Amino acid sequence: MTTTTKQSTASLLLAGALAGPLYVGIGTIEAIVRDGYDIRRHSLSLLANGTGGWIHSTMMVVTGLLTVVGALALRRAGLRSRWAWGGILAYGAGVAAAGLMRADPADGFPIGTPPGLPETVSWHSFGHIIAGFIGFIGLIVACFVVARRFGRDNERGWSRFSLITGIVYILGLVGLATGSGTAVVNLGFTVAVIVGWAWLTLLMVRTRTEEIR
């Protein structure tokens, strides 16, 4: 790989690494400042509704696309397994697509919305759910494949981190499927999202550091 190509790859990995801090940072600020939002009751997706909802939607599209860029850069940097970089790419595409399709208002958010789940599901809310699910599965697969790769390279710390991230996400998805709306499930899935973004960010930073040596 030429010096120019290495520098280009390093820049793309940096772009991908920015996705996690942007998603978590902006999402945290939104959760704090948006009137009526309670992270114990409401999913993060609901922040795309109401005044200022465009901020959350834009954030999802931008961070999703940055993740796609990062996935392609990981492939260029040597992550050859299609299940690994492809899973990360699917996650980024899923986040971006989910950002384009807003989840329906629910359980009192935005303010004025009736309590409980909506009686009917709109096409864009259904699309949001499907896009998110596909993205989450992609990330889980990538975590397990990368865990195996690091295990073969005897990098136990990274192997365990990758494995734990995948397991945490599986538990988060199972929670959403069986008890969405409860405080434990909502907070648990929020933790899974943060752990997932942290894993992606650190993976890209690690790869970029090796790339510029």
Side-chain angles (χ1 to χ4, degrees):
M1 187 180 292
T2 66
T3 301
T4 301
T5 301
K6 282 189 174 185
Q7 292 175 342
S8 173
T9 302
S11 297
L12 295 176
L13 286 167
L14 178 59
L18 290 175
L22 284 174
Y23 190 103
V24 175
I26 294 174
T28 299
I29 293 172
E30 288 181 294
I32 293 173
V33 304
R34 292 289 298 277
D35 291 337
Y37 183 82
D38 185 346
I39 197 169
R40 296 167 299 178
R41 295 171 51 206
H42 304 129
S43 69
L44 293 172
S45 296
L46 294 183
L47 288 167
N49 292 286
T51 303
W54 66 270
I55 296 175
H56 191 77
S57 296
T58 302
M59 177 270 289
M60 290 187 69
V61 173
V62 171
T63 55
L65 293 178
L66 286 174
T67 302
V68 168
V69 168
L72 296 174
L74 284 170
R75 177 179 180 273
R76 183 190 287 183
L79 187 62
R80 298 301 181 191
S81 171
R82 293 180 180 178
W83 292 104
W85 68 264
I88 295 171
L89 187 147
Y91 176 66
V95 171
L100 293 173
M101 295 178 283
R102 177 173 47 83
D104 291 330
D107 202 17
F109 186 84
I111 295 174
T113 302
L117 297 175
E119 295 182 0
T120 59
V121 179
S122 66
W123 68 267
H124 49 81
S125 184
F126 183 74
H128 177 91
I129 294 170
I130 296 300
F133 180 76
I134 292 173
F136 297 149
I137 294 299
L139 181 62
I140 290 169
V141 170
C143 285
F144 290 149
V145 173
V146 171
R148 184 179 179 184
R149 174 190 173 181
F150 280 124
R152 288 199 306 265
D153 294 340
N154 203 32
E155 297 191 50
R156 295 180 180 178
W158 265 99
S159 181
R160 290 170 182 168
F161 181 25
S162 302
L163 181 62
I164 290 172
T165 301
I167 292 173
V168 168
Y169 243 103
I170 288 177
L171 294 176
L173 281 181
V174 171
L176 286 181
T178 59
S180 182
T182 65
V184 171
V185 168
N186 283 343
L187 292 175
F189 189 70
T190 298
V191 170
V193 169
I194 293 172
V195 171
W197 280 117
W199 178 78
L200 276 173
T201 299
L202 292 174
L203 178 63
M204 292 186 190
V205 169
R206 177 187 187 278
T207 306
R208 181 178 184 273
T209 300
E210 294 179 344
E211 193 71 9
I212 61 179
R213 284 177 181 172

